[in-house]
Amino acid sequence: MTGYASVQAALGAGDGASVLMLELRSVNSRFLDLVLKVPDAFKPLEGKLRQSLAEQLQRGKVELRVALRETGAGAGALDVRALQQLHWIQTQVQNWLPDARALSVAEALQWLQSRAPQEHGLEWTPELERAVMQAIAALKHARASEGARLKAILLEKVDALREWVAKAAPLVPRLVEQQRERFLERWKEALASASDANGTPPVEEREAQQRALTEATAFAIRIDVAEELARLTAHLDEVEHLLGQGGAVGKRLDFLMQELHREANTLGSKSALLELSRISMEMKVLIEQMREQVQNIE
């Protein structure tokens, strides 16, 4: 489910004060996929960050970006000793590799920035934990708003599917009756052509007629799609129930989409009427649209 959240929090006080900036982005995914883009100082805390995210979120590709900006008395001041160390390192490298280019100002500042948080001994403090939980709560709120929109879309599709089920239901007895009449006509023709002089069909013909009757009965059962329509209705009821229930229902909805598609596909394969085939096609289009949206639900 898509969502975005951004949080800033003050850490520490005095010369060691800094501002923590957290950004959370979430896009669609069937499973929980966590991507952490953090400074080197946060590397030891990645386990805690992942744990906090996994405990609160179930699905989606979630990206966490972390930045730390110093605001204390030393903020903006260059660390001369660190620059001297960097210069010494660069000199040693160039002694061994004369063709190595010199570091740019931007690269030197980036190196200094990457070192600064480490010198403060960053730890999993209550302030840091509160900031992370605040960011997660903001993301969940954004995803909840998106979820409400998706729920309305899915319920609209459910209503449309119910309309197609209602249109298909009256066609079932008509389909069976049409097939029965067609069989009776052929049955009478077979009796008339196969009867002997006394009006009694030979034994072989009677056996053939019995087999034809059995096959016709089996065919009538095969083309009867009443069960498929009943299961479609039951699945749609369950979709509505899950959407009303709320919570982490994405995987269950995904399973129901598979079942709905299976029933709609069977409806089309068993259909002997052009109208039923068209209804099956319309159902599958709607179900596929629902499946795409369900992938976004946690």
Side-chain angles (χ1 to χ4, degrees), residues 208-221:
Q209 291 164 2
Q210 184 61 40
R211 287 196 301 272
L213 177 61
T214 302
E215 293 175 3
T217 303
F219 181 74
I221 295 174

Side-chain angles (χ1 to χ4, degrees), residues 161-182:
L161 278 171
R162 289 192 186 279
E163 291 179 6
W164 284 115
V165 171
K167 291 179 181 179
L171 298 178
V172 176
R174 173 179 151 192
L175 175 62
V176 175
E177 180 62 22
Q178 173 182 307
Q179 187 59 32
R180 189 183 71 85
E181 291 177 356
R182 184 180 303 171

Side-chain angles (χ1 to χ4, degrees), residues 154-295:
L154 289 173
L155 288 176
E156 181 181 340
K157 302 295 183 185
V158 168
D159 290 340
L161 278 171
R162 289 192 186 279
E163 291 179 6
W164 284 115
V165 171
K167 291 179 181 179
L171 298 178
V172 176
R174 173 179 151 192
L175 175 62
V176 175
E177 180 62 22
Q178 173 182 307
Q179 187 59 32
R180 189 183 71 85
E181 291 177 356
R182 184 180 303 171
F183 170 75
L184 288 176
E185 290 177 3
R186 293 180 180 177
W187 177 262
K188 292 175 181 178
E189 292 175 0
L191 283 177
S193 62
S195 297
D196 55 19
N198 297 326
T200 303
V203 175
E204 294 81 1
E205 295 297 335
R206 288 199 299 269
E207 292 177 350
Q209 291 164 2
Q210 184 61 40
R211 287 196 301 272
L213 177 61
T214 302
E215 293 175 3
T217 303
F219 181 74
I221 295 174
R222 186 173 65 83
I223 64 173
D224 186 357
V225 294
E227 289 187 10
E228 282 72 21
L229 295 178
R231 284 194 289 267
L232 279 167
T233 300
H235 293 330
L236 291 174
D237 290 343
E238 183 62 16
V239 170
E240 285 189 329
H241 171 71
L242 290 176
L243 290 174
Q245 170 184 315
V249 296
K251 292 183 179 180
R252 295 174 66 183
L253 286 173
D254 193 36
F255 171 75
L256 283 172
M257 293 305 107
Q258 298 176 31
E259 295 301 304
L260 283 169
H261 189 273
R262 180 181 292 109
E263 299 302 337
N265 195 57
T266 304
L267 178 68
S269 64
K270 293 176 66 171
S271 173
L273 287 177
L274 182 60
E275 293 173 76
L276 272 178
S277 297
R278 185 175 68 86
I279 288 174
S280 170
M281 182 61 65
E282 295 291 344
M283 284 182 173
K284 286 191 283 188
V285 170
L286 283 170
I287 293 167
E288 186 58 34
Q289 292 172 350
M290 292 176 69
R291 190 204 299 268
E292 292 176 0
Q293 298 298 334
V294 165
Q295 301 301 318

Side-chain angles (χ1 to χ4, degrees), residues 51-119:
Q51 179 182 348
S52 299
L53 292 168
E55 288 175 351
Q56 299 293 323
L57 307 171
Q58 281 75 46
R59 298 182 81 180
K61 182 175 182 179
V62 181
E63 179 183 296
L64 171 64
R65 289 178 177 267
V66 179
L68 196 63
R69 178 169 55 86
E70 291 189 359
T71 58
L78 293 177
D79 188 338
V80 177
R81 292 184 61 185
L83 283 175
Q84 290 174 341
Q85 180 184 3
L86 179 61
H87 176 69
W88 181 83
I89 293 173
Q90 178 176 259
T91 301
Q92 296 300 313
V93 171
Q94 290 179 331
N95 286 337
W96 286 96
L97 303 171
D99 295 334
R101 67 175 181 83
L103 291 173
S104 66
V105 173
E107 290 170 336
L109 291 175
Q110 183 179 8
W111 184 78
L112 289 173
Q113 186 178 8
S114 68
R115 284 172 50 86
Q118 293 177 348
E119 293 175 355

